[in-house]
Amino acid sequence: MKRAFTLVEVLVSIFIVSFSLAVLFGIVINTLNSREFIEKGADREVSVLFVMNELKREIESLYYCGIKCGFILQEVGYFGRPFDDIAFTTYYGGHKEIEYFFEPEKGSDTAVMFKRVDLKLDGDLKSGGVAVKVVEGIKTFDVRVFGDKGWQERWNQQDGVPKFLEINAEFKYGRDKTRKLRMIVEVRHKDIIGGKGVIITPQR
């Protein structure tokens, strides 16, 4: 005589199967989410690298004349971390004023980097022109300048022409991970000629 399953056994079996499917479904969802975060992180890394290389070329062609052109580095902090605004006049891509600045992202401890370009050269390095969002998920953006007074966290036109810049950027990569990029930039100026700007040393 065949023994039939009791109601309790059937319910237990259903519970075990349901629990196993829920665990398996959770693993699949977490794997897909992790893959999505990794892909977003990789895209963000490419964007940050592009922005930093563009910034490097712009700073290499930075010039200072003391009247309507110059360089400003301003310390700005969010979430207890450094986010430095940087504004300057460059020869790269034609004479223009450029500013990189940050605004906190809503619901996150990261900031959005914006780039503002002004072709008027009106001497106000931090206004005018058009600003566009260039990259999200920035955790820190720290810039230090080396000049006649050594390394400084703040810089303006009265401090002359910077010689080297150290740029450290940290950005969100994945759910709980971050990546860091460090760049040293040399301003390729040779001499200052009054209000005419600067002679750019040819790139080697």
Side-chain angles (χ1 to χ4, degrees), residues 3 24 61 105 118:
R3 179 179 176 273
L24 181 61
S61 298
E105 290 187 84
D118 187 1

Side-chain angles (χ1 to χ4, degrees), residues 169-183:
E170 182 180 6
F171 56 95
K172 193 172 182 180
Y173 190 97
R175 191 190 304 271
D176 301 312
K177 297 180 181 179
T178 62
R179 291 281 177 90
K180 294 181 180 180
L181 294 173
R182 180 173 178 265
M183 182 179 291

Side-chain angles (χ1 to χ4, degrees), residues 54-64 68-71 87-100 115-119 121 125 187-188 197-198 200:
E54 187 77 0
L55 177 58
K56 179 178 184 292
R57 289 189 288 268
E58 291 164 350
I59 290 176
E60 285 175 342
S61 298
L62 179 153
Y63 68 94
Y64 167 81
K68 290 189 175 182
C69 48
F71 176 85
F88 53 89
T89 318
T90 181
Y91 274 125
Y92 180 71
H95 293 256
K96 54 191 172 185
E97 294 171 355
I98 292 178
E99 180 187 14
Y100 288 88
K115 179 179 181 179
R116 184 189 59 80
V117 179
D118 187 1
L119 302 177
L121 296 175
L125 297 179
V187 181
R188 294 188 287 112
V198 62
I200 300 297

